Amino acid sequence: MRFSFSKMMLWLGLAFLYAPMLILVVYSFNESRLVTVWAGFSTKWYGELLQNQKLLDAVANSLKIAFFSASGAVVLGTLAAFVLARFKGFKGSTLLRGMITAPLVMPEVITGLSLLLLFVAMAQMVGWPQSRGMTTIWLAHTTFCTAYVAVVVGSRLTEMDMSVEEAAQDLGATPVKVFFTITLPMIAPALVSGWLLAFTLSLDDLVIASFVSGPGSTTLPMVVFSSVRLGVSPEINALATIIIAIVTSLVFASWYYARRVEKARLRDLQAINQP
């Protein structure tokens, strides 16, 4: 088999990305507490993980925030992408597009500080939020995740064939029915991709959550970051291995679903275009 320079760089890039994850998974089964010394195979750290209530509470908080943030971002991002893709040229469209995409290029420190000042000002003016916690983290994560969802869904709407929607409207379907019956199923793979992307970004965020969090609302990245200063615990490796397994399963499931939906869409378009 011919081994070209591009293939070599591809494999080196994949090794650079995934070799640390593989090492992390291997050392999650290490008998020793020292992550750099292999002392034999053991699953005791997975049992220790189940006894670490602080870490489990942080995982539960992160999963709740990530789920609701991704769901809210999909709704808001889809609405924003639909407006920008279907109603072009309206007054203020450039400003709206810039406001939606601003979190993509804005440093997280600036975003977190801005949201912190906003919540403090709102508490002084209207009395809400009285304290920072799960709700403020959810609002902050939804804010910056919406931009990513809008880009993903917007690209799908831009390349989508509008002839099917126009045909449905010619047959008497209302715009709302066209959206839920035709447009929504056609952009479903983009919605799934946007939801997974927003979920991952929210689950991984540390900087913004550090600004807008409060007592009792510690997320998993905050716990991991604070524990790393004292040395990486094997329990963190075990937890990371579980997360990698879950994320990998979700990625393959979403890929399989998107593939099926795309095949069905192409089959329907071929059936429509046939005389």
Side-chain angles (χ1 to χ4, degrees), residues 98-154:
M99 293 176 63
I100 292 174
T101 58
L104 295 174
V105 297
M106 192 74 67
E108 290 189 346
V109 174
I110 303 300
T111 304
L113 180 59
S114 301
L115 290 170
L116 172 61
L117 296 176
L118 173 64
F119 291 140
V120 171
M122 290 176 59
Q124 294 176 351
M125 294 176 60
V126 299
W128 185 90
Q130 296 181 355
S131 62
R132 295 185 297 275
M134 298 281 287
T135 302
T136 54
I137 299 176
W138 168 62
L139 292 175
H141 284 188
T142 303
T143 300
F144 82 88
C145 288
T146 298
Y148 293 90
V149 176
V151 171
V152 174
V153 178

Side-chain angles (χ1 to χ4, degrees), residues 70 73-74 145 148-149 152-153 188-200:
V74 166
C145 288
Y148 293 90
V149 176
V152 174
V153 178
L191 296 180
V192 174
S193 301
W195 191 92
L196 290 175
L197 177 61
F199 184 88
T200 303

Side-chain angles (χ1 to χ4, degrees), residues 252-273:
F252 276 106
S254 63
W255 169 80
Y256 180 74
Y257 172 75
R259 184 182 179 186
R260 289 188 58 184
V261 172
E262 187 66 18
K263 285 185 176 180
R265 185 183 71 85
L266 294 176
R267 187 168 56 250
D268 294 340
L269 290 177
Q270 291 176 356
I272 293 174
N273 295 328

Side-chain angles (χ1 to χ4, degrees), residues 10 22 24 33 42 44 50 52 92 105-106 163 205 208 236:
L10 172 62
L22 180 61
L24 183 146
R33 176 172 287 275
S42 175
K44 71 175 184 178
L50 297 178
N52 193 332
V105 297
M106 192 74 67
S163 60
D205 176 69
I208 296 178
I236 301 296

Side-chain angles (χ1 to χ4, degrees), residues 22 24 34 39 51 63 82 84 101 127 134 149 163 165 172 177 185 199 201 214 218 234 245 270-271:
L22 180 61
L24 183 146
L34 300 176
Q51 303 299 324
L63 290 177
F82 188 82
L84 294 175
T101 58
M134 298 281 287
V149 176
S163 60
E165 296 178 343
K177 187 174 183 180
F199 184 88
L201 291 171
T218 304
Q270 291 176 356

